[in-house]
Amino acid sequence: KGAGRWLTLHHYSSAPACIGALHRKGFKVYASDLNPTAVSIDEIGPLNAGRPVGAEDVGAELPFGGREKIAVLFGNESRGISDVVRRMADQCFVLPMSGFGQSFNLSVACSLTLYHLRMAAVLTPSANESEICELLAKWLCRDVPQSRKLLTSKGFKLPDF
């Protein structure tokens, strides 16, 4: 197993359906893209004004617009994102790299993007203790056989999930 067990997955019929649902839930959608119109990940955000993120920026309203809800999309390693996804995304970005390679593989691109967002203080914990406990209980009940039965037999009240 691995980190995948700590994810809550949502399935959609298509990428546009997913992006539409994210927009309706108040998310801004950012897509990794090799298209020439994509901006460097360091240049995203109203306060950046085209300069790289620095230590002085930690905690400020930063790339990806600050403290808003964001979703980051990555395309297929061979084909990238579709034109429809490119048009629906609020912003497309590229991870700058040196050398002869054009792009990072998908797992590396995801890791670098999440690290960048974390270091820029864009990804910060937002769940309260009650939400964290409910999420942990949900994951445990999903992954540990008979855990719901055991917990309820010991008096724990679990929500329906």
Side-chain angles (χ1 to χ4, degrees):
K1 291 194 175 181
R5 72 184 336 147
W6 304 112
L7 298 174
T8 301
L9 301 178
H10 302 271
H11 298 276
Y12 294 90
S13 60
S14 66
C18 175
I19 295 169
L22 288 166
H23 279 147
R24 285 189 296 280
K25 292 178 182 178
F27 283 83
K28 280 201 140 186
V29 176
Y30 296 87
S32 178
D33 189 13
L34 293 176
N35 189 293
T37 61
V39 300
S40 169
I41 192 170
D42 294 324
E43 297 177 15
I44 295 176
L47 241 124
N48 273 29
R51 66 176 174 76
V53 176
E56 69 277 6
D57 295 314
V58 173
E61 293 293 315
L62 279 175
F64 297 97
R67 304 279 183 251
E68 64 202 355
K69 297 191 311 185
I70 65 168
V72 184
L73 303 180
F74 296 89
N76 176 286
E77 284 190 34
S78 301
R79 297 180 308 276
I81 61 172
S82 69
D83 289 335
V84 173
V85 168
R86 188 173 290 115
R87 284 191 302 273
M88 291 182 75
D90 295 292
Q91 179 74 59
C92 292
F93 69 93
V94 65
L95 293 168
M97 64 184 299
S98 300
F100 296 109
Q102 184 181 13
S103 65
F104 296 103
N105 74 31
L106 186 59
S107 65
V108 172
C110 291
S111 298
L112 289 171
T113 300
L114 293 176
Y115 179 78
H116 175 84
L117 295 176
R118 181 68 182 111
M119 294 311 295
V122 173
L123 291 182
T124 57
S126 62
N128 63 41
E129 189 174 339
S130 174
E131 291 168 327
I132 291 169
C133 287
E134 183 176 327
L135 190 55
L136 182 58
K138 179 179 181 179
W139 288 335
L140 287 172
C141 288
R142 181 186 68 197
D143 286 352
V144 179
Q146 303 299 316
S147 58
R148 178 179 279 280
K149 184 177 178 181
L150 176 65
L151 289 170
T152 54
S153 75
K154 298 294 182 184
F156 287 92
K157 299 202 182 313
L158 299 172
D160 292 326
F161 34 71

